[in-house]
Amino acid sequence: MARPDFPRSLIEFQQRFADDEACRSYLIASRWPDRFSCPACGGAEVGAEHRRRLWQCSGCGRQTSLTAGTVMHKTRLPLTLWFWAAYLVATHGPGISALQLQRQLAISRYETAWTILHKLRRAMVAPEREPLRGEVEADEGYLGGRDSDLRGGRQRPGKPLVGVALEVRGNGSGRLRLQLLADASGASLLPFVRSSVAAGTIVHTDGWAGYSGLGAAGFDHRPKTQHAHWGLKHEWPLPRAHRALSNLKTWLQGTHHGVSAKHLQVYLDEFVFRHNRRLTPLAGFQTLLGLGTSQPPTTYAQITQHH
Ligand SMILES: [Zn+2]
């Protein structure tokens, strides 16, 4: 049995997660799709709930927190609040601020909304590391300049440089990866492509020397020079990657009013998260809550930690 599916609409979400008990059932079904299994003895029987959201194995007495390994671990807030916050963060196209979250969910303290938001955001960091496949555009661009400056030269001291890798899907684009880079040298670009793209994949780049090692690194490297595209007016050699960088800059300015370099990678991860789930935003709510199957197994420390 697989973990439960996710609601497909706001109405369905509202009906399914109307109260804490409903959220709890969903949480349990997500963590133990078949049946509860004690991490210590494998027993399936639990006695009465020992404390709030804490189960005690009837066989060996080991206590298991229902929320261990999820973003809700140790929380004193209602589960409904977490579910609805995750829903809003996952489905609110450009992203949502702590203030918006506070207002939408009638959270009395701003600090609570801020904490929830940042915990949910942490789940956007690399929950999926399946490498890009098929055909990929790889490029890099500086943030902080005008859009037309994106490729206006590889030296831009003080401006953050972002590597972009994006799957080609017909005329559109597939999954995206973004990474803050130290510089545009091969020593920075090759590890980025290696960690983002499966070996053997067709990788389109421009003619920049920093990408010249891709062939030797096991990729089907297809560099395009500007010259080869001379006949196509205003056509970038890597249109999808360029569009992604352009959208990223707009998003950073519009939603977050610019971001300091210190926190930039977190926002890059959020942008990637939203891009890769733009067609199924509701599916993201499971990931944000930490209910995904890709979560690492619950650790002993997490299980034994008490509230
Ligand atoms: Zn047990």
Side-chain angles (χ1 to χ4, degrees):
M1 214 174 107
R3 66 189 165 131
D5 66 347
F6 50 88
R8 308 281 162 174
S9 69
L10 175 58
I11 300 287
E12 200 189 326
F13 196 94
Q14 194 175 26
Q15 287 166 346
R16 249 173 108 166
F17 303 120
D19 55 32
D20 231 53
E21 189 51 43
C23 297
R24 211 183 105 99
S25 301
Y26 187 85
L27 175 66
I28 292 167
S30 298
R31 291 199 56 201
W32 297 287
D34 299 317
R35 62 180 183 112
F36 174 77
S37 171
C38 171
C41 73
E45 295 298 317
V46 284
E49 201 162 329
H50 188 68
R51 250 182 283 176
R52 204 164 168 238
R53 297 172 197 149
L54 205 59
W55 275 355
Q56 185 160 339
C57 173
S58 302
C60 73
R62 164 74 73 87
Q63 292 175 352
T64 301
S65 165
L66 301 189
T67 53
T70 78
V71 75
M72 294 159 284
H73 191 43
K74 288 176 154 186
T75 185
R76 293 179 180 281
L77 299 168
L79 297 181
T80 44
L81 189 59
W82 283 100
F83 274 60
W84 278 95
Y87 172 87
L88 289 173
V89 171
T91 59
H92 201 268
I96 194 164
S97 70
L99 191 62
Q100 285 173 307
L101 198 64
Q102 185 192 10
R103 286 177 180 159
Q104 293 259 357
L105 296 178
I107 298 167
S108 53
R109 294 177 65 241
Y110 174 82
E111 290 72 19
T112 306
W114 191 90
T115 304
I116 290 174
L117 184 60
H118 279 255
K119 283 197 170 180
L120 293 174
R121 275 224 184 97
R122 278 212 306 241
M124 294 181 179
V125 180
E128 31 146 0
R129 275 302 172 210
E130 270 296 296
L132 307 185
R133 294 176 186 285
E135 203 174 335
V136 166
E137 290 182 1
D139 200 1
E140 85 293 333
Y142 287 93
L143 298 178
R146 284 173 292 125
D147 187 48
S148 56
D149 289 344
L150 274 175
R151 17 184 56 242
R154 249 79 186 195
Q155 302 296 318
R156 198 81 62 84
K159 303 279 189 203
L161 181 68
V162 173
V164 49
L166 185 55
E167 285 175 339
V168 175
R169 295 262 176 88
N171 289 325
S173 59
R175 293 174 302 150
L176 172 71
R177 291 279 187 278
L178 296 172
Q179 190 181 306
L180 205 49
L181 301 175
D183 53 46
S185 69
S188 296
L189 292 169
L190 287 187
F192 164 61
V193 176
R194 266 212 186 102
S195 66
S196 310
V197 183
T201 300
I202 298 170
V203 180
H204 300 284
T205 69
D206 59 18
W208 174 244
Y211 294 106
S212 59
L214 282 176
F219 297 97
D220 183 352
H221 185 209
R222 311 220 179 143
K224 299 177 185 179
T225 59
Q226 302 268 13
H227 186 72
H229 281 252
W230 198 245
L232 302 166
K233 244 200 292 184
H234 304 305
E235 177 81 353
W236 296 96
L238 307 161
R240 292 168 193 80
H242 179 259
R243 205 179 310 132
L245 276 167
S246 179
N247 289 343
L248 171 67
K249 294 178 85 173
T250 306
W251 179 74
L252 286 172
Q253 282 305 322
T255 305
H256 299 293
H257 309 293
V259 170
S260 69
K262 195 177 133 205
H263 299 294
L264 191 54
Q265 187 61 53
V266 174
Y267 289 93
L268 296 183
D269 289 336
E270 177 173 351
F271 187 84
V272 167
F273 180 90
R274 294 188 184 287
H275 173 93
N276 291 350
R277 283 170 185 75
R278 65 200 185 284
L279 301 177
T280 54
L282 267 170
F285 110 94
Q286 291 176 319
T287 310
L288 293 184
L289 288 176
L291 300 178
T293 48
S294 59
Q295 291 295 312
T298 306
T299 65
Y300 178 78
Q302 282 175 319
I303 294 162
T304 52
Q305 267 168 357
H306 290 182
H307 291 247

